[in-house]
Amino acid sequence: YEVLGSVGKIWPQLTGETDKVRDILPRIVSKSAEPFTSVIGVPITPQAAIADDNDADVVIVCDIELPFRGSPEGRWTEEIAWARAALDRGALVCSTCSGSVLLAEAGLLDGCDAASHWSAAELFRDRYTAVRFRPDRILCDSGHGGRLLTAGGASSWQDLSLYLIGRYCGSAEAMRAAKIFLIGDRSGGQLPFAAMTRPRQHD
């Protein structure tokens, strides 16, 4: 939220350089606009409910609780419908970390490559067999003419944000954001962490 909202604002304040770029106006939306607490205790106050948010150019499905407990079946029905509607109207739909599980549950990743957190590999292997899970990737073009993107582990939001800034505001502004927030190259991908998954237990 901070990185995307800083576009065109922070660099001029820090350097005095001015270069007009397109604004990015991030909003936090959820099933309900009611404040809630995340699973790790962070208070979150949405700015809108998904039912009232039908004009976003970009939708980012954030991560869900890991390790995932129980079956995803029947969960997120309203959120899935909202993400599908956004894709149908031409929006760019993205996920970070385990948020790709919601997109997989929606069937949007069938037949496509998809990145997610390395710990979701077993879930993808067992439940989403039509998805080509890519534990080595930080960012994945997951189809729909380049309008569906998935990003790997939790900190991959950094790579996604730089990609989005570059796509909508130009590479120079993406480079400025990388310099401001000290984010960028993760050339090793997330494959080194994928080996950390626990082996499957057999009777």
Side-chain angles (χ1 to χ4, degrees):
Y1 186 94
E2 182 181 7
V3 171
L4 295 175
S6 75
V7 168
K9 301 177 181 70
I10 305 298
W11 187 258
Q13 293 176 20
L14 293 175
T15 67
E17 296 176 10
T18 57
D19 186 7
K20 182 63 179 168
V21 297
R22 178 181 182 178
D23 284 338
I24 294 180
L25 305 172
R27 299 191 295 262
I28 298 173
V29 300
S30 69
K31 185 175 180 178
S32 161
E34 295 297 316
F36 65 96
T37 302
S38 77
V39 296
I40 60 169
V42 177
I44 298 173
T45 303
Q47 294 155 305
I50 56 176
D52 302 321
D53 191 277
N54 300 308
D55 62 350
D57 297 311
V58 178
V59 167
I60 302 173
V61 180
C62 295
D63 49 309
I64 59 175
E65 181 181 6
L66 286 174
F68 193 80
R69 296 175 179 85
S71 171
E73 187 173 0
R75 296 191 186 195
W76 317 305
T77 54
E78 293 174 50
E79 294 89 340
I80 284 173
W82 178 70
R84 280 184 177 145
L87 194 64
D88 289 346
R89 71 167 185 271
L92 175 65
V93 176
C94 314
S95 68
T96 62
C97 195
S98 54
S100 59
V101 173
L102 186 146
L103 300 181
E105 189 65 20
L108 295 175
L109 300 178
D110 288 357
C112 300
D113 291 342
S116 187
H117 193 271
W118 49 263
S119 66
E122 187 173 308
L123 180 62
F124 272 85
R125 183 177 58 242
D126 293 347
R127 183 169 178 82
Y128 308 116
T129 56
V131 180
R132 294 187 297 272
F133 183 71
R134 297 294 305 272
D136 56 319
R137 298 289 297 275
I138 294 293
L139 288 178
C140 254
D141 180 341
S142 297
H144 296 265
R147 290 189 301 106
L148 192 62
L149 297 173
T150 53
S155 64
S156 63
W157 67 264
Q158 298 174 15
D159 302 85
L160 178 61
S161 65
L162 292 179
Y163 171 82
L164 293 174
I165 293 168
R167 179 166 173 163
Y168 289 97
C169 305
S171 59
E173 187 63 19
M175 290 174 62
R176 292 180 193 117
K179 290 176 181 178
I180 292 168
F181 293 97
L182 303 179
I183 56 179
D185 182 38
R186 198 177 284 110
S187 56
Q190 62 172 0
L191 191 58
F193 305 101
M196 294 169 60
T197 52
R198 289 178 298 172
R200 181 178 290 197
Q201 300 297 311
H202 295 281
D203 291 335

